[in-house]
């Protein structure tokens, strides 16, 4: 896990800017620093910086990056968090001199050992034990087709000096970030937006459509456009190919999520699901540094921790204690420790707790926003921040957690309308009623809202016959948001599988992956997410919907596949928290005045979007209990705060 920078220098940009962009993400890679400057006719020469590791410099004696050098066409920068091959040989940018290739790489190729052995059989010779070198040799052998062989999370920029091309690549689901910007003087790629803000000519300009999407729909990281005009993200499963001779570039897709070819019984599906997830965990436990796990007490993280124990026992390391970090609360309404304890007892973990507080949120907020680059959706991300902070305190460099399960296995309540709509669409009225009865049996009441919602999806022309609260298809919400000349965003709920695909590709997973990346890297910790193994996602996409959501039970296949392997108390939970925080209590009680003051301040800052008088009424009604709690106020506060600190 690292931080990368790449500059295509079209008009004499100074090398000092490359250094600035690299240094600002030192938190992503505190262990080492490296550079490369190149123009046609030059050799590929790696350069050092102020933070280049002493062992690396002693071994290789790299020249120092020259100050204010302008005689170069491509510049690469790298900050290293050493995970695989801790020796100086893992230093980046890494060069394969014989083929004129060099790379700056962020992430992990988990199956690098298997690919390396395949390449050795084809005649390739390796100088290091790193996954970075495997990428270079794979590119020589298979070019862009090598991307389909990589099982991992990755963002990299590769220079082919012989072909005079640069490739910027992002992994299938965007687990690792990559942003870019272009001006008349340069084209730049970077791991974090704050790097691009260091470049000449940068001027903050708010992308109002993206800000509106965030305030109205809670959409974030759903588009190549960002909150700033002129800065874009490379979309998941895409690459940019830049021709250095002409300066022309194109953005292309290299991966699209498709269902695997799967046919089998329910029992076989459970066995396959278990095998794929365990194999994913095994690959993600490859590391030359200590590994722990974020354990919330929920089904997803508990499953991952139990699988980690199975992998260790299978490798003859049953005496190894897994360090777990759990976000806890003194307020039992927001505490999952009783569930986390069940898992800890089963796997004999070494547990640690962290207790997010309002005071810490208030004190850390500007720092969190700086690391996040952009606003975030709720204070749940603050709880995750505290987990990674504790992980670093406990000496953990790699953490494994359960991100990505909810989106492919219908973990959220919002999937119900899509489930019922899909049953109606397929003409399965009997099952439509059966699912509703099952929901009532589990929850004590019929899901009238979901049933009417499914009718609205399929019969929008009859909306006028519905109760008032279900009529509108495009209601402006929150109430304090002004109508504007912005695009409306609608996403299909015509079936559960379609809706789940949207959750993976649009909302909320892309934003959750950014939060995961920034929260972990703020403390120089690498986070790995086994549920995001592409083989598993392709498999779950191939399943019939009743293996995902059946008779009111979400994540059906996960619960059945791990019965006997995960404590029943976890498998039988009906509630869901995740990285929960006491945001409702903070808003209503101990942080009441702070929330009110910051909400009013955000309203004045964002007057283009919001009605200040309605904001005052809204916060008063919520704090008085006249309207239910929601995360809407937080989004407004966070966006307003972000704009102020730009």
């Amino acid at each position: 896990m690292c931080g990368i920078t790449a500059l295509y220098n079209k008009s004499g940009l100074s090398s000092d800017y490359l250094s600035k962009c690299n240094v600002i993400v030192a938190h992503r890679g505190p262990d080492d620093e490296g550079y490369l400057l190149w123009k046609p006719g030059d050799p590929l020469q790696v350069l050092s910086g102020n933070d280049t590791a002493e062992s690396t410099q002693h071994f290789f004696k790299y020249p120092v990056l020259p100050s204010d050098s302008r005689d170069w066409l491509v510049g690469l920068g790298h900050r290293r968090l050493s995970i695989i091959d801790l020796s100086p040989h893992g230093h980046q940018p890494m060069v394969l001199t014989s083929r004129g290739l060099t790379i700056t790489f962020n992430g992990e190729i988990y199956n690098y050992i298997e690919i390396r052995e395949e390449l050795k059989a084809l005649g390739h010779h390796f100088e290091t034990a790193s996954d970075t070198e495997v990428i270079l040799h794979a590119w020589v052998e298979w070019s862009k087709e090598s991307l389909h062989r990589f099982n991992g999370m990755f963002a990299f920029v590769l220079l082919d000096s012989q072909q005079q091309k640069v490739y910027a690549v992002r992994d299938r689901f965007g687990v690792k970030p990559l942003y870019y910007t272009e001006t008349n003087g340069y084209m730049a790629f970077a791991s974090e937006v704050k790097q691009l803000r260091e470049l000449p000519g940068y001027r903050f300009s708010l992308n109002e459509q993206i800000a509106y999407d965030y305030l109205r729909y809670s959409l974030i990281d759903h588009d190549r456009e960002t909150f700033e005009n002129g800065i874009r993200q490379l979309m998941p499963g895409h690459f940019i190919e830049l021709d250095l001779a002409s300066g022309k570039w194109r953005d292309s897709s290299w991966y699209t999520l498709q269902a695997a070819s799967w046919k089998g019984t329910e029992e076989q599906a459970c066995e396959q699901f278990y095998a794929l997830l365990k194999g994913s965990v095994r690959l993600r436990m490859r590391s030359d540094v200590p590994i722990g796990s974020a354990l919330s007490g929920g089904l997803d993280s508990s499953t991952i921790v139990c699988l980690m124990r199975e992998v260790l026992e299978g490798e003859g390391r049953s005496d190894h204690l897994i360090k777990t970090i759990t976000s806890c609360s003194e307020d039992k309404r927001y505490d999952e420790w009783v569930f986390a304890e069940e898992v800890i007892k089963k796997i004999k973990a070494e547990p640690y707790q962290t207790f997010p507080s309002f005071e810490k949120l208030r004190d850390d907020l500007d720092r969190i926003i700086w690391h996040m680059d952009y606003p975030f959706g709720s204070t749940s991300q603050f709880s995750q921040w505290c987990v990674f902070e504790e992980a670093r305190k406990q000496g953990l460099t790699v953490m494994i957690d359960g991100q990505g399960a909810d989106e492919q296995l219908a973990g959220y309540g919002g999937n119900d309308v899509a489930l019922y709509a899909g049953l109606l669409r397929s003409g399965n009225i009997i099952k439509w009623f059966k699912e509703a009865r099952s929901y009532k049996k589990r929850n004590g009441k019929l899901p009238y809202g979901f049933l009417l919602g499914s009718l609205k999806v399929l019969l929008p022309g009859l909306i006028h016959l519905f109760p008032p609260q279900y009529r509108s298809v495009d209601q402006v919400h929150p109430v304090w948001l002004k109508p504007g000349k912005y695009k409306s965003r609608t996403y299909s709920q015509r079936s559960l599988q379609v809706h789940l695909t949207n959750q993976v590709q649009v909302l909320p997973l892309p934003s959750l992956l950014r939060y995961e990346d920034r929260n972990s890297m703020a403390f120089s910790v690498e986070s790995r997410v086994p549920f995001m193994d592409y083989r598993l996602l392709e498999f779950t996409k191939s399943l019939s919907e009743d293996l995902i959501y059946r008779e009111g039970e979400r994540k059906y296949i996960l619960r059945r596949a791990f019965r006997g392997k995960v404590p029943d108390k976890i498998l039988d939970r009906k509630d869901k928290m995740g990285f929960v925080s006491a945001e409702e209590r903070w808003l209503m009680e101990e942080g009441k005045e702070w929330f009110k003051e910051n909400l009013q301040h955000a309203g004045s800052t964002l007057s283009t979007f919001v009605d200040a008088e309605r904001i005052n009424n809204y916060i008063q009604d919520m704090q008085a209990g006249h309207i239910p709690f929601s995360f809407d106020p937080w989004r407004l506060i966070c966006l307003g705060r972000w704009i102020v600190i730009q």
Side-chain angles (χ1 to χ4, degrees):
M1 190 74 69
C2 306
I4 65 175
T5 310
L7 292 176
Y8 167 48
N9 189 7
K10 296 192 282 186
S11 60
L13 194 67
S14 169
S15 58
D16 292 340
Y17 286 107
L18 180 64
S19 177
K20 285 181 181 180
C21 292
N22 213 37
V23 168
I24 202 169
V25 287
H27 53 278
R28 296 189 72 94
D31 298 329
D32 199 6
E33 177 186 24
Y35 297 94
L36 182 141
L37 299 178
W38 176 85
K39 67 177 186 296
D42 282 357
L44 293 171
Q45 174 63 63
V46 177
L47 305 166
S48 66
N50 292 332
D51 290 338
T52 299
E54 289 185 15
S55 59
T56 300
Q57 193 64 353
H58 176 76
F59 191 86
F60 290 109
K61 296 180 172 53
Y62 290 130
V64 176
L65 176 73
S67 177
D68 198 30
S69 173
R70 298 174 185 271
D71 187 23
W72 51 279
L73 185 63
V74 176
L76 303 180
H78 191 267
R79 298 292 313 205
R80 185 184 184 197
L81 179 63
S82 301
I83 304 290
I84 300 293
D85 188 353
L86 308 185
S87 75
H89 290 287
H91 180 80
Q92 293 188 52
M94 186 175 287
V95 174
L96 189 60
T97 305
S98 61
R99 299 303 295 264
L101 300 180
T102 184
I103 189 174
T104 182
F105 162 54
N106 169 33
E108 302 287 351
I109 306 299
Y110 300 120
N111 62 335
Y112 75 101
I113 294 175
E114 290 78 7
I115 297 174
R116 185 174 62 199
E117 292 307 307
E118 184 178 1
L119 288 165
K120 282 182 178 179
L122 293 171
H124 291 257
H125 300 281
F126 290 83
E127 302 293 330
T128 79
S130 72
D131 55 341
T132 309
E133 189 182 9
V134 169
I135 297 175
L136 290 171
H137 283 272
W139 198 271
V140 169
E141 188 66 35
W142 301 299
S143 187
K144 294 186 288 292
E145 289 302 309
S146 62
L147 299 175
H148 297 281
R149 297 172 179 262
F150 299 154
N151 186 342
M153 53 180 187
F154 50 88
F156 63 80
V157 178
L158 183 146
L159 165 65
D160 185 333
S161 64
Q162 293 181 359
Q163 298 295 321
Q164 293 199 30
K165 289 186 177 181
V166 165
Y167 297 90
V169 182
R170 195 173 182 202
D171 66 58
R172 293 172 177 82
F173 303 109
V175 180
K176 291 295 100 192
L178 193 59
Y179 296 90
Y180 66 96
T181 188
E182 184 184 27
T183 73
N184 291 331
Y186 58 82
M187 186 172 189
F189 302 91
S191 295
E192 298 187 6
V193 172
K194 61 182 66 66
Q195 297 168 266
L196 303 180
R197 296 178 186 137
E198 294 294 309
L199 293 167
Y202 170 78
R203 296 290 183 274
F204 174 72
S205 173
L206 180 67
N207 186 321
E208 292 190 358
Q209 177 66 57
I210 297 299
Y212 183 79
D213 291 347
Y214 168 71
L215 290 173
R216 180 173 178 181
Y217 304 105
S218 193
L219 278 171
I220 189 168
D221 299 293
H222 57 292
D223 195 284
R224 72 181 70 251
E225 299 294 328
T226 71
F227 279 89
E228 295 171 77
N229 289 311
I231 295 179
R232 294 181 172 182
Q233 65 168 325
L234 184 60
M235 294 301 285
H238 278 238
F239 71 91
I240 284 176
E241 181 177 349
L242 168 63
D243 183 87
L244 297 176
S246 66
K248 294 180 179 179
W249 60 276
R250 60 187 178 92
D251 182 340
S252 304
S253 171
W254 68 269
Y255 177 80
T256 302
L257 176 60
Q258 300 287 344
S261 299
W262 165 258
K263 290 183 180 179
T265 65
E266 181 174 313
E267 183 177 355
Q268 290 171 331
C270 291
E271 291 172 354
Q272 178 72 350
F273 183 89
Y274 168 77
L276 284 170
L277 187 55
K278 184 175 181 179
S280 176
V281 170
R282 181 185 292 109
L283 281 179
R284 283 155 182 80
M285 290 181 70
R286 288 177 170 173
S287 172
D288 295 331
V289 296
I291 294 181
S293 183
L295 175 62
S296 70
L299 176 57
D300 309 333
S301 63
S302 298
T303 300
I304 295 300
V305 173
C306 290
L307 281 173
M308 290 174 70
R309 170 54 61 200
E310 285 190 27
V311 170
L312 288 171
E313 290 178 351
E315 295 175 349
R317 294 191 287 162
S318 56
D319 58 340
H320 179 85
L321 291 178
I322 301 170
K323 287 186 177 182
T324 60
I325 314 293
T326 302
S327 176
C328 301
S329 175
E330 299 291 352
D331 188 331
K332 296 307 176 185
R333 292 176 297 172
Y334 310 102
D335 187 71
E336 295 186 276
W337 178 246
V338 64
F339 296 104
E341 270 192 312
E342 289 291 316
V343 180
I344 289 163
K345 291 174 186 176
K346 177 177 176 61
I347 68 164
K348 300 180 179 64
E350 182 180 334
Y352 295 89
Q353 297 170 289
T354 182
F355 289 81
S357 66
F358 168 70
E359 291 76 14
K360 183 172 174 60
L361 170 66
R362 181 190 61 201
D363 295 343
D364 284 7
L365 181 56
D366 285 353
R367 183 180 167 214
I368 298 171
I369 292 174
W370 184 85
H371 276 284
M372 285 287 184
D373 278 326
Y374 290 131
F376 52 100
S378 76
T379 56
S380 293
Q381 284 72 55
F382 166 62
S383 296
Q384 188 184 59
W385 165 276
C386 294
V387 165
F388 286 116
E389 183 178 41
E390 184 64 25
R392 171 48 69 180
K393 289 178 182 176
Q394 300 307 326
L396 295 169
T397 308
V398 174
M399 290 281 282
I400 301 181
D401 75 17
Q403 195 73 266
D406 285 320
E407 293 75 20
Q408 57 184 303
L409 298 174
Y412 303 118
N415 292 289
D416 300 85
V417 169
L419 172 70
Y420 293 126
L423 294 175
L424 282 180
R425 184 182 175 86
S426 64
N428 201 337
I429 306 298
I430 294 176
K431 194 170 183 181
W432 189 72
F433 280 112
K434 183 179 179 181
E435 283 292 341
R437 288 198 305 269
S438 297
Y439 184 96
K440 181 180 179 181
K441 184 177 180 180
R442 292 177 65 86
N443 299 283
K445 59 181 180 180
L446 280 171
Y448 291 111
F450 301 147
L451 296 172
L452 287 172
S454 66
L455 288 168
K456 185 172 67 176
V457 169
L458 296 179
L459 304 169
L462 300 180
I463 285 176
H464 64 283
L465 300 177
F466 295 172
Q469 65 267 36
Y470 300 109
R471 289 179 188 171
S472 176
V473 294
D474 198 29
Q475 180 179 350
V476 174
H477 186 78
V479 294
W480 38 259
L481 190 62
K482 293 178 180 177
K485 296 180 180 179
Y486 304 108
K487 291 187 295 185
S488 296
R489 304 284 191 178
T490 57
Y491 296 95
S492 175
Q493 291 182 297
R494 68 178 184 270
S495 73
L496 180 60
Q497 273 291 10
V498 168
H499 194 54
L500 294 176
T501 299
N502 282 335
Q503 289 181 9
V504 169
Q505 297 178 335
V506 182
L507 179 76
L509 189 55
S511 59
L512 295 176
L513 292 173
R514 172 166 65 88
Y515 305 152
E516 182 105 13
D517 175 82
R518 301 305 196 281
N519 278 328
S520 59
M521 294 310 299
F523 300 101
S524 304
V525 173
E526 173 173 294
S527 180
R528 298 177 175 180
V529 283
F531 279 104
M532 295 308 300
D533 190 304
Y534 74 95
R535 300 168 302 173
L536 184 68
L537 279 134
E538 290 174 354
F539 172 71
T540 58
K541 188 172 175 61
S542 74
L543 296 174
S544 62
E545 292 181 350
D546 67 344
L547 285 176
I548 294 172
Y549 192 157
R550 178 187 296 184
E551 296 180 359
E553 184 174 63
R554 303 183 182 100
K555 300 180 181 176
Y556 176 85
I557 190 170
L558 176 58
R559 296 177 197 274
R560 179 171 173 190
F562 284 88
R563 183 67 66 180
K565 300 178 177 68
V566 173
D568 287 348
K569 189 171 183 177
I570 306 297
L571 294 174
D572 295 334
R573 284 188 68 177
K574 295 182 181 180
D575 61 330
K576 176 176 175 54
M577 292 188 185
F579 275 116
V580 70
S581 72
E583 183 173 326
E584 183 173 0
R585 192 189 73 203
W586 297 340
L587 173 68
M588 302 294 193
E589 299 172 19
E590 58 195 277
K592 185 174 182 178
E593 291 306 313
W594 183 90
F595 269 82
K596 184 176 181 179
E597 178 184 334
N598 278 270
L599 194 57
Q600 290 171 337
H601 187 266
S604 62
T605 302
L606 300 168
S607 58
T608 300
F609 302 101
V610 302
D611 183 311
E613 183 177 349
R614 285 192 173 189
I615 287 175
N616 289 330
N617 295 335
Y618 183 82
I619 191 69
Q620 289 172 9
D621 287 345
M622 185 173 289
Q623 291 183 335
H626 297 153
I627 57 175
F629 166 79
S630 81
F631 294 120
D632 293 342
W634 177 260
R635 293 203 302 277
L636 183 58
I637 288 171
C638 200
L639 179 61
R641 194 77 177 173
W642 171 72
I643 288 176
V644 167
I645 66 175
Q646 291 310 300

